[in-house]
Amino acid sequence: MENNFDDILSATETIIWQDQPRQDALEGFDMAYLGFCLMWVLVGTYLFLSGLFNTDSFKMIGGGVLVLIGFILMFGRLVLKNYQYKRTFYLITDRRVIIVMRLRLKKVLSIDLTKINNYDEFVHRNGTGTIDFDVNADDLTDAFHAYRSDGSELNSINIFTSTCLRNVADPDLVYQTFINAINEAKKGV
């Protein structure tokens, strides 16, 4: 895993935990989405085959287009999600929770541990989990930063993700580490 976060961390900050989302984990929404795409492909296949046997070129073309769109939707989602997860990094330090996405722009969501209000753990059936936490909107405004490839910061506000650590591999361990980091940070204030 890439671990060059020197441009994000302060000199006195210590990383307690870092990881990436699991790329091979499908969530409930993904299963429903893939089911929808599969139905799209099946309807397209039915139209294509019925047009082929009845020599109806309109049904053949329409069915072929539906099949093509269904496969693009199905595999496009999986490829895009995998691409995003490979370039997403989670860090819990002794002061902050940091989410870094290195796509076209480098996007950083940095939240002070003392400003986190509510938090919860959700364990999924596939063994991964999501650590969800709430932050006041005023605190979130200063938490988001986007950088161009040359390192210059953009002056736009665009919250790119919800405030959660999604698809973590060992959710119980991460949640306990998260709670301990919050408690230690709040003791120091």
Side-chain angles (χ1 to χ4, degrees):
M1 180 171 76
E2 186 176 333
N3 57 6
N4 185 9
F5 300 109
D6 296 338
D7 56 335
I8 299 168
L9 300 173
S10 68
T12 59
E13 201 166 12
T14 305
I15 296 175
I16 299 171
W17 174 85
Q18 71 179 27
D19 204 356
Q20 289 182 271
R22 270 191 42 197
Q23 285 99 30
D24 61 344
L26 290 177
E27 300 172 52
F29 174 79
D30 294 328
M31 300 306 282
Y33 181 80
L34 292 176
F36 169 76
C37 292
L38 183 61
M39 284 186 355
W40 190 290
V41 168
L42 291 175
V43 167
T45 303
Y46 171 76
L47 286 174
F48 180 79
L49 291 176
S50 68
L52 185 67
F53 291 124
N54 297 329
T55 62
D56 185 354
S57 59
F58 180 73
K59 277 187 176 179
M60 260 179 30
I61 293 171
V65 168
L66 286 177
V67 168
L68 182 65
I69 290 172
F71 278 123
I72 289 171
L73 289 174
M74 189 181 320
F75 294 111
R77 165 117 178 123
L78 297 175
V79 168
L80 179 63
K81 186 174 182 177
N82 192 35
Y83 177 79
Q84 288 175 332
Y85 280 177
K86 280 184 179 179
R87 287 154 184 81
T88 300
F89 304 90
Y90 300 141
L91 289 93
I92 298 176
T93 72
D94 55 347
R95 297 183 193 168
R96 302 181 286 166
V97 173
I98 303 170
I99 302 171
V100 179
M101 288 183 72
R102 293 184 175 159
L103 301 172
R104 190 173 50 87
L105 299 173
K106 181 169 86 172
K107 299 176 182 181
V108 179
L109 184 64
S110 169
I111 300 171
D112 190 326
L113 289 171
T114 60
K115 297 183 179 185
I116 294 175
N117 301 323
N118 300 317
Y119 40 88
D120 204 359
E121 171 191 22
F122 302 99
V123 179
H124 308 293
R125 282 185 253 168
N126 61 12
T128 65
T130 298
I131 312 301
D132 193 15
F133 47 94
D134 294 333
V135 182
N136 291 335
D138 295 337
D139 297 331
L140 204 53
T141 303
D142 297 331
F144 175 77
H145 304 280
Y147 303 93
R148 292 184 182 91
S149 58
D150 64 1
S152 61
E153 187 170 355
L154 294 174
N155 293 328
S156 66
I157 236 347
N158 177 14
I159 302 304
F160 66 94
T161 185
S162 59
T163 53
C164 67
L165 307 177
R166 186 180 307 276
N167 281 348
V168 293
D170 190 354
D172 293 331
L173 174 70
V174 176
Y175 187 63
Q176 196 57 49
T177 303
F178 182 72
I179 291 172
N180 292 341
I182 289 173
N183 292 336
E184 288 298 317
K186 288 185 177 180
K187 280 183 193 174
V189 172

